[in-house]
Amino acid sequence: MSVKTEKNFELVSIRYENVRGFYDATLPLQNEKTLIVGRNHAGKTSALKLLAWLINDADPDRLFENDKLSQEEQALLLPSRSALHRARRITLTVWIPDGRTARKFECYGNYAILRVGFHVSGTPLAFIQLGQPRRESRGISHPKAKELLHHIQEIYSVIFIPSARDAKSPQFQKRFQQLFKEKLAKRALHPGTPSGPTTEHKKILRAIESLKEMAEDVLDPMLDKLAESLPGGLLESPVLDFYENEADQDLLKWTLDRIRFKLITGGHDNSGVEPADVGAGLQSVLDMAAASVILGEDNRSFIVAVEEPEAFLHPSLQRIVARKLLSDKYGYKTLVSTHSPILVEEARYESILLAVDRKIHQPKEEPDPRRSDIHTALLSGQGAEMIFATSVLLVEGEGDRAFFEGLRRRLARRDPSGRVENLFVIKVGGSSDFSPWIKLLHALNGGGTRGPLAFLVVPDGDAISSTKEALEDNNINIGQEISRKLEDAEDKLRNKIFKEWRALLSEVNKKFSDSKPPVPTCFLNGDLESSIFSGLSGRRCEYFADLIGVEFGDKDAFIKRMGSKAVDGKGGRKNKTPYMRKQIAERIKFSELSDNIKLLLRRWLVNAGFSDNDAKNLLSKDGS
């Protein structure tokens, strides 16, 4: 959370209830840098547009008078679906440090609550109120609410930069017209200081005078002839006069209308090209740059709201833009929505919000900066991609990831809903490395196992102690009964009673799955090779041996050669390479998968929103 400044007003949050597809979502506004991540239609753009409307465009006087909403406002604010008689409103929470001002606006502990409500029965209209909603207030606007919104709009302005940054678009043209007009007007039309006008204003005045002289030189002789042609005594002489009012503005408009903005990108176009003729990526960056230049021309506090700055940009340029927008040196409160893992990598953990299903989730605030640093480090590479998922599988190594990602891709081809594409596999690095990832996922979920990022931990069966430690370290209670069974399983493994060890692991996995809520863990039944091949016939094992070029012998010998220790406690790693496991994932039939792998796949799918029956049906089909 950012430190509050000495401003009279500081925006804290904006809440949306039953407007523009939101049921109930809150966008925090206190952080100086905010990155809103999420899939399409999650609410990222709507949150930014509604903020821009309230700060920039909502007319406090019209709201106070309960004026009818314009067609544009209705399209922005009112979804077509019913709110089931629930209130439709936008609520802005504002921190007001001054005690007298706080009392004036009915603050609760220096926090003012400004509400804009909407009626849709009959004529759609809006009203404006202060404080918590009260039944008796109905749709009656409050004069102090109008005053508060006036004050906020005097202090703040939102620069909203949409993802459609096309040089031919009206928005692009307007941005540059505004940029040029404001800069020229500020200098060329400014009368100056007591010591004299600005240099640019002098040039405008000289140009006007020069044009007047030129007109007089050309037209005065004609006026003389006109006078000579008239009968004597009717007039003394005709003269030219000039409209002095706004002559400088007219000349400035003439200049602006004739300015052509062109770009030189290299020796091949050193005479310049129109913005519409360069690549979409450069057009996009130009639009963002123009907005940034405009910021320096105004004394208000700006909130820069950028939608998908990565649009049309090469990854290296995405990083440059992300570092600029998310850097403290870019001295404006910045809200960025994105689909890009590259932008996530450039952000700090504490600046990230998750938009999922028209809700905005705020991760847990970490009081220890070291933990925040660890979260930030994990949110790179695969971790940055993970944040866009709904269901995450945590596995030990790259080979496990290759196998389960191979199965996921096959499932995705047969899933018309597209939900399988929201599954993701993370390799944590080893059996003792689950805990930091669980802590990160807990934090992103707001401090628990339930939230926008469901997850399942998948350790090898010999990682019992380290897995229990990771679960305990994250306050995940497995209960005494399961704990005793895991101790028994460890004992069986230690004494090389492998069949009973695997049987106990199967019992534990079922209890994990049946717990309320389920424990987010499913052990492999021994290890991955044992889980894959133990249920296959010898002939099918021989097929896979031939596929990946491994000597067969018999089934148990093949499983050992694949690196499994679950047969006799011995094994090797030379045949555990990721590409081999991927080949297996691409060829094994779903009907051949062991109960252990089916269980963890089913739990992975259920975490992504599948019903248990739909998950079972998806796994029962064979084919590509």
Side-chain angles (χ1 to χ4, degrees):
M1 185 180 295
S2 64
V3 178
K4 296 181 178 71
T5 68
E6 295 302 317
K7 295 173 188 167
N8 293 327
F9 300 89
E10 183 80 8
L11 304 183
V12 175
S13 65
I14 185 167
R15 181 181 180 186
Y16 310 117
E17 296 173 86
N18 298 299
V19 293
R20 198 173 173 83
F22 290 112
Y23 284 102
D24 191 350
T26 299
L27 175 63
L29 298 173
Q30 287 182 292
N31 283 349
E32 288 303 305
K33 305 296 173 185
T34 299
L35 189 70
I36 309 171
V37 304
R39 294 173 297 282
N40 289 327
H41 202 57
K44 304 184 300 299
T45 298
S46 294
L48 299 183
K49 281 186 173 181
L50 291 171
L51 174 66
W53 173 79
L54 182 60
I55 301 299
N56 293 348
D57 302 322
D59 186 332
D61 298 313
R62 283 186 58 224
L63 293 173
F64 179 70
E65 294 168 1
N66 291 18
D67 199 3
K68 179 184 176 182
L69 294 173
S70 68
Q71 290 295 325
E72 293 77 10
E73 287 173 326
Q74 291 181 47
L76 173 69
L77 298 165
L78 305 179
S80 57
R81 62 169 176 75
S82 169
L84 301 176
H85 305 293
R86 292 187 293 264
R88 301 177 188 267
R89 58 176 163 248
I90 298 174
T91 304
L92 188 67
T93 301
V94 188
W95 180 75
I96 302 177
D98 178 70
R100 178 182 294 181
T101 308
R103 287 189 295 275
K104 175 181 178 180
F105 293 117
E106 301 180 9
C107 288
Y108 300 81
N110 291 100
Y111 289 92
I113 297 173
L114 177 70
R115 291 181 289 113
V116 179
F118 306 97
H119 282 320
V120 295
S121 56
T123 300
L125 56 84
F127 53 92
I128 186 167
Q129 299 174 331
L130 283 179
Q132 298 291 351
R134 295 183 293 273
R135 185 177 295 275
E136 64 272 16
S137 66
R138 300 187 181 276
I140 302 170
S141 289
H142 194 303
K144 293 297 182 186
K146 178 180 76 167
E147 185 179 346
L148 178 57
L149 183 54
H150 267 302
H151 282 312
I152 291 167
Q153 291 179 339
E154 287 171 357
I155 296 170
Y156 288 96
S157 178
V158 176
I159 296 287
F160 177 62
I161 308 174
S163 60
R165 296 180 285 274
D166 176 2
K168 294 180 180 178
S169 71
Q171 168 244 314
F172 186 96
Q173 301 291 342
K174 182 179 177 181
R175 182 97 65 201
F176 277 89
Q177 278 289 322
Q178 179 188 357
L179 177 61
F180 298 150
K181 181 178 179 180
E182 289 186 359
K183 187 64 176 178
L184 277 173
K186 185 175 181 180
R187 299 291 300 174
L189 300 183
H190 197 284
T193 64
S195 60
T198 62
T199 302
E200 292 79 10
H201 192 51
K202 289 179 182 177
K203 288 181 178 179
I204 286 281
L205 296 177
R206 283 200 301 268
I208 293 171
E209 193 60 36
S210 176
L211 289 170
K212 288 167 62 177
E213 291 174 0
M214 181 270 292
E216 289 171 345
D217 288 343
V218 172
L219 299 177
D220 276 352
M222 183 185 70
L223 294 180
D224 291 340
K225 290 183 179 180
L226 179 62
E228 293 172 1
S229 302
L230 290 170
L234 289 179
L235 58 82
E236 185 172 332
S237 66
V239 294
L240 290 176
D241 193 14
F242 293 86
Y243 290 104
E244 298 291 346
N245 291 342
E246 300 183 351
D248 52 355
Q249 295 185 33
D250 290 341
L251 185 56
L252 181 64
K253 183 179 184 303
W254 181 90
T255 305
L256 281 167
D257 288 344
R258 280 148 186 80
I259 288 175
R260 292 180 66 196
F261 177 56
K262 302 182 78 173
L263 305 167
I264 297 174
T265 61
H268 59 287
D269 58 13
N270 54 18
S271 62
V273 295
E274 300 284 344
D277 294 330
V278 300
L282 181 51
Q283 292 181 38
S284 176
V285 174
L286 271 172
D287 203 4
M288 287 187 280
S292 296
V293 174
I294 289 170
L295 300 178
E297 304 299 316
D298 197 302
N299 292 325
R300 284 179 294 177
S301 294
F302 280 98
I303 300 171
V304 183
V306 188
E307 185 186 10
E308 299 172 29
E310 70 273 12
F312 311 115
L313 300 184
H314 183 275
S316 61
L317 195 50
Q318 287 185 40
R319 292 193 186 280
I320 293 170
V321 170
R323 280 197 293 271
K324 178 180 177 61
L325 292 174
L326 300 175
S327 166
D328 291 338
K329 293 180 180 178
Y330 188 68
Y332 304 100
K333 189 184 287 287
T334 310
L335 300 171
V336 177
S337 72
T338 185
H339 296 130
S340 172
I342 292 174
L343 267 74
V344 176
E345 289 187 325
E346 297 297 331
R348 293 282 306 169
Y349 158 78
E350 56 269 21
S351 71
I352 291 173
L353 300 175
L354 303 182
V356 180
D357 296 332
R358 317 301 286 186
K359 282 190 172 292
I360 299 171
H361 299 264
Q362 187 167 15
K364 175 185 173 185
E365 186 175 342
E366 296 287 7
D368 185 350
R370 292 173 297 180
R371 177 54 55 189
S372 180
D373 288 343
I374 294 170
H375 291 343
T376 300
L378 293 175
L379 287 171
S380 61
Q382 291 181 6
E385 295 180 58
M386 171 197 77
I387 207 168
F388 294 92
T390 57
S391 182
V392 179
L393 208 63
L394 298 176
V395 299
E396 290 189 15
E398 185 57 47
D400 304 76
R401 172 176 162 74
F403 178 76
F404 287 110
E405 173 60 13
L407 292 180
R408 188 204 65 77
R409 287 172 180 267
R410 289 176 60 196
L411 288 170
R413 291 197 290 268
R414 61 174 69 180
D415 168 37
S417 75
R419 285 172 292 179
V420 173
E421 299 294 3
N422 297 326
L423 275 61
F424 199 78
V425 193
I426 284 283
K427 61 164 188 175
V428 302
S431 60
S432 61
D433 297 318
F434 285 109
S435 187
W437 286 95
I438 298 174
K439 284 187 185 298
L440 170 61
L441 287 159
H442 264 192
L444 290 169
N445 285 329
T449 57
R450 297 189 173 200
L453 277 171
F455 64 91
L456 185 65
V457 179
V458 182
D460 282 354
D462 62 355
I464 293 171
S465 292
S466 59
T467 303
K468 283 179 63 179
E469 184 179 335
L471 296 176
E472 290 168 3
D473 192 33
N474 288 277
N475 299 313
I476 298 175
N477 182 25
I478 63 174
Q480 291 185 350
E481 181 188 358
I482 296 177
S483 184
R484 283 195 296 270
K485 284 190 178 292
L486 286 174
E487 289 171 6
D488 290 344
E490 266 193 311
D491 186 60
K492 300 299 183 187
L493 177 61
R494 198 162 34 247
N495 291 299
K496 299 186 178 181
I497 308 174
F498 299 110
K499 186 175 181 180
E500 294 184 25
W501 164 56
R502 294 194 298 271
L504 282 167
L505 289 175
S506 293
E507 288 183 40
V508 167
N509 285 337
K510 187 173 188 314
K511 289 188 177 294
F512 278 159
S513 179
D514 293 341
S515 296
K516 303 295 181 187
V519 177
T521 303
C522 186
F523 284 98
L524 289 169
N525 205 342
D527 50 32
L528 184 60
E529 282 66 37
S530 172
S531 292
I532 294 172
F533 297 115
S534 57
L536 294 180
S537 66
R539 198 177 85 175
R540 284 296 286 165
C541 288
E542 187 172 4
Y543 163 80
F544 284 110
D546 182 62
L547 174 71
I548 58 182
V550 174
E551 184 180 346
F552 178 65
D554 59 34
K555 179 177 172 178
D556 283 348
F558 168 65
I559 293 174
K560 285 174 60 178
R561 286 194 183 99
M562 289 302 297
S564 175
K565 298 179 182 179
V567 175
D568 59 6
K570 301 175 183 179
R573 293 189 60 84
K574 68 177 183 178
N575 294 317
K576 283 179 173 278
T577 54
Y579 80 85
M580 290 184 176
R581 292 183 174 188
K582 186 172 185 297
Q583 283 181 292
I584 295 164
E586 290 170 346
R587 300 295 198 285
I588 194 167
K589 297 176 182 177
F590 282 93
S591 59
E592 295 175 328
L593 294 175
S594 66
D595 290 341
N596 175 223
I597 289 180
K598 283 182 179 178
L599 173 64
L600 71 87
L601 289 176
R602 179 172 58 81
R603 293 190 63 187
W604 194 20
L605 290 165
V606 168
N607 281 345
F610 286 84
S611 70
D612 196 52
N613 281 336
D614 285 347
K616 287 177 180 177
N617 289 336
L618 194 63
L619 292 169
S620 67
K621 302 173 184 176
D622 270 319
S624 63

